Amino acid sequence: MTASNTQDRILILGAGAIGSFYGAALQAGGADVSVVCRSDYDAVRANGVAIDSSALGARTLRPAQVLRSAADYQGGPPAFLIVSVKVVEGTDRAALIRDAIGPGTAIVLIENGVEIEAELAAEFPDHELISALAFVQVSRTAPGRVKHFAFGDLHFGNYPSGLSDKARRLAALLEAGGVRAVTTEDVVTARWQKAVWNAVFNPVSVLGNALDTDDILNAAGGKEFVRRAMGEVCAVAAACGHPLPEGLADQFITATAKAPAYKTSMALDYEHGRPMEVEVVLGNAVRAAQREGVAAPALETLYALMKMVERKAAKRNEAAAPR
Amino acid sequence: MTASNTQDRILILGAGAIGSFYGAALQAGGADVSVVCRSDYDAVRANGVAIDSSALGARTLRPAQVLRSAADYQGGPPAFLIVSVKVVEGTDRAALIRDAIGPGTAIVLIENGVEIEAELAAEFPDHELISALAFVQVSRTAPGRVKHFAFGDLHFGNYPSGLSDKARRLAALLEAGGVRAVTTEDVVTARWQKAVWNAVFNPVSVLGNALDTDDILNAAGGKEFVRRAMGEVCAVAAACGHPLPEGLADQFITATAKAPAYKTSMALDYEHGRPMEVEVVLGNAVRAAQREGVAAPALETLYALMKMVERKAAKRNEAAAPR
């Protein structure tokens, strides 16, 4: 175990693909990284998490502490608590976080979606909140094994705005560990910007039963529909005080059409029967539209359809559950 | 072969489940019924079409003439030409009909959807056009075999309005053959009324990957979405000069919620990889909305998504086609 600076003690909640990928980078950058993990505890305790990455080479996250519960964390509160659990309906993030922080701990949320911070900011007013968006394609392939396919940038800044010394320190650790950190003083706008793509392509890909980007954009009227729905997200963002660049939808459409056809992460979750981040990615955008009085009928339709898909999946899982 | 009245000579284009079901009823009612069929020609020629129905008992359509092509029809033009081919993209109905009619032939369209008649009325201005909606659950189970599950009513009237002596005669033959004929002087309004259900439940069921009515109505926000989308169909119908009864959407929702959960015909077509009637059921409603300047964003979203689903299915079929 390497000696480490107190200010760089990092605890990660949820050592899934995302948490392990950035944890390994932070460790490579010199931080003291521990993880709380449940299902994969034995494997991670024994061998850490092996990251298989053609871009970064093979690396292994060997946590300083592998914990079943954040309450077992030794040595005082962490400087950073990274929350990288997937936010699906029923997750009580506040309860998970409460056990894992102490005086001075900055809470780092790595999460998709919009309007995901306010609740935690209200719950933990004395803690700095760093809001982060992962642009990375990673997947947990087995207990203690993660495959890194592409990308890796982490975009972040303080919520509701600004960029603290701690946030800058986090960026330095990541960069030292080989991952690009893109810091911003306006992370909320960055979230809306990413949501323009995510709130449209993700549900649409699921609704066609795992469509890829070619099916979506090259169907009759496909581009026009995507542009209209993205325009709704932009209108909601603007109404929330976060106007996005002109022409953003067209930029996204052009870039997506140029890239080889691929399926969204939500389509992959759907195909594998995993929970989908419908609420943070789409539901929050729809609720913001309703709150701000912005018409978003395409998004509302996508959302209504996704709730039907979720209901069907829940019924199937219930039927398949052991009794 | 039974002797038959000249006025009751009927030629059916498309001896699928629907055509055979009503053909058998018309024959039982005393008509001289012939069929044009392609894929099932040998089976139908040898043994007719066996209709397995618990409601009507087992009955067999034994066509007076079984033809590969309408041009082979003997004995002068039919009094009625029943067109019961499924209307999917690429079907040239006019070309099929042109070969099968002569002076005095009434064209009977048994078809789903809205605004399906105008093109044929313009193409065949000298022929009476009877527009019919089947409320029946039937399925072709094998060449020359049809299973009748439920219902059976045929609703029809002349296009654009009225009820001719020939239409009344058709009703009498059907009733004599054990099927309920519901005649109307305003068949276009009847079509819009049926479309209120079909243009919403059919695509929605497909988009959730074969949802049943329970998944749709009992998801969070499900009923509200269905009501809103149905309201769009009602608004389009009204703009087209066919106002529908107040409260129709709620009536449909209540009736559907009370019935046991079931999948729509379009969901079944989708599950079995069969072409879907997206254009006549939904596309025509969307185009009517655009023409009349009626906002229909939920329908437009469903339509855009269905075109993506169709594109994916077409790619898959192309990949699977023999070369």
Side-chain angles (χ1 to χ4, degrees), chain B residues 181-194:
Chain B
V182 181
T183 56
T184 170
E185 305 224 342
D186 187 3
V187 69
V188 175
T189 299
R191 283 202 173 274
W192 278 107
Q193 185 149 337
K194 193 177 184 191

Side-chain angles (χ1 to χ4, degrees), chain B residues 37-59:
Chain B
C37 63
R38 290 169 181 185
S39 44
D40 294 353
Y41 177 85
D42 292 330
V44 177
R45 177 102 201 187
N47 302 305
V49 183
I51 318 282
D52 173 16
S53 166
S54 54
L56 297 170
R59 50 168 61 173

Side-chain angles (χ1 to χ4, degrees), chain B residues 309-321:
Chain B
V309 170
E310 287 193 320
R311 180 182 160 81
K312 183 183 178 187
K315 274 201 309 194
R316 198 177 43 216
N317 289 344
E318 214 171 273

